[in-house]
Amino acid sequence: MKKIAVLTSGGDAPGMNAAIRAVVRAAIYNGVEVVGIPRGFSGVMRGDTIAMNLGSVADIIQRGGTILYTARSEEFKTREGQEQGAQALRQAGVDGLVVVGGDGSFHGAQVLDRLGVATIGVPGTIDNDIPCTDETIGFDTAVQTAVEAIDKIRDTATSHERTFVVEVMGRHAGDLALTVGLAGGAESILIPEIPFQLEDVIAKLERGVARGKRHSIIVVAEGAGSGIEIGKYLQHHTGFDVRVTVLGHIQRGGPPTARDRMLASQLGSHAVALLLAGEHGKMVGVEHGQLHAVDFDTVFATPRTPDQELFDLADKLSI
């Protein structure tokens, strides 16, 4: 293993830069040349590489986003595009590749691995929807960002005696909404994995009003429904003053928390160690505080479900 490449792919997540830094410095520490590939798999197909040294990753551990940029590539999903990418990596002398991203990125990583480029995946997504790891890079920061926003929204909800629907990210996974809702004291949490009826949300709102409650917060994952449409429905059927806030991409930005910087540093360094040990076709993760590596096939075959106990706790505490 003489030359390692690193790329970021899919949606950006706070802590990706910390992961890049860890990969670059761990490689250099071990006497291995390292390059960055800009714009994900699009860059792979074009054969784009950027020589990385210690200075390349100085002062980035605290920065959100990704200095390597990220892009989705429809062309790479074709067999021709995949073979072109693998050939471009071989021509660049790349022996090993670290892919920082989510589920879609890992499918691309697995293809390159099977085409002869040793690949390790590092889970980076604010949705926390990757199995076989307790947490993904960016999740903790996104939670903090959303909770801080809800704290501010609650102030104005209290002042104006309003109900607020707050939509957070999570197209297929409710981890973000569930964690944010519990930490933010939401009255109701709507996530795509657990069926719900808006009539039950209304009943809870009306019980609150009956005991003198003057404001409420409802957190909804984008995959569970449109916050705007849910807000309209609630206002129409209750007559309450309902406002909607869609947090959107604000959740992806900002400096990563210390927790995300630590996680990214550990996973990025461990990815390099695995490549140097001859391992590939795996994702690095952390379970019960311990670093481990899992085959991509196992990751793809393992269902990712929300924590039912947390959901029940949130429901219990919102009476």
Side-chain angles (χ1 to χ4, degrees), residues 43-97:
V44 169
M45 292 178 55
R46 292 193 301 269
D48 292 345
T49 61
I50 303 169
M52 306 291 281
N53 55 39
L54 295 177
S56 302
V57 292
D59 299 323
I60 68 168
I61 194 171
Q62 79 283 4
R63 289 171 55 183
T66 164
I67 63 168
L68 292 177
Y69 309 107
T70 180
R72 290 180 170 87
S73 174
E74 291 301 316
E75 190 177 357
F76 185 77
K77 294 179 180 179
T78 67
R79 186 64 181 179
E80 294 78 9
Q82 293 161 357
E83 291 177 346
Q84 177 183 331
Q87 180 62 21
L89 289 170
R90 286 192 289 267
Q91 288 177 345
V94 172
D95 303 307
L97 174 66

Side-chain angles (χ1 to χ4, degrees), residues 95-214:
D95 303 307
L97 174 66
V98 177
V99 173
V100 185
D103 180 78
S105 302
F106 290 167
H107 277 89
Q110 185 184 57
V111 167
L112 291 174
D113 190 78
R114 290 176 171 173
L115 290 173
V117 181
T119 306
I120 295 291
V122 174
T125 166
I126 68 168
D127 289 344
N128 201 42
D129 59 350
I130 306 297
C132 306
T133 184
D134 291 339
E135 202 161 302
T136 58
I137 296 168
F139 177 67
D140 187 63
T141 305
V143 168
Q144 293 299 320
T145 298
V147 169
E148 288 173 7
I150 286 178
D151 288 345
K152 293 177 173 65
I153 289 169
R154 187 177 292 280
D155 288 343
T156 191
T158 303
S159 299
H160 291 273
E161 299 178 304
R162 287 173 176 156
T163 294
F164 267 83
V165 176
V166 181
E167 181 185 305
V168 301
M169 285 186 165
R171 284 180 297 171
H172 306 295
D175 273 41
L176 184 59
L178 176 54
T179 308
V180 167
L182 177 57
E187 279 68 33
S188 292
I189 303 171
L190 310 180
I191 60 177
E193 301 96 327
I194 298 180
F196 62 88
Q197 298 292 329
L198 290 179
E199 287 71 19
D200 295 333
V201 176
I202 291 172
K204 182 176 284 189
L205 289 174
E206 291 176 339
R207 287 198 301 271
V209 170
R211 66 178 176 82
K213 191 172 180 60
R214 295 299 184 182

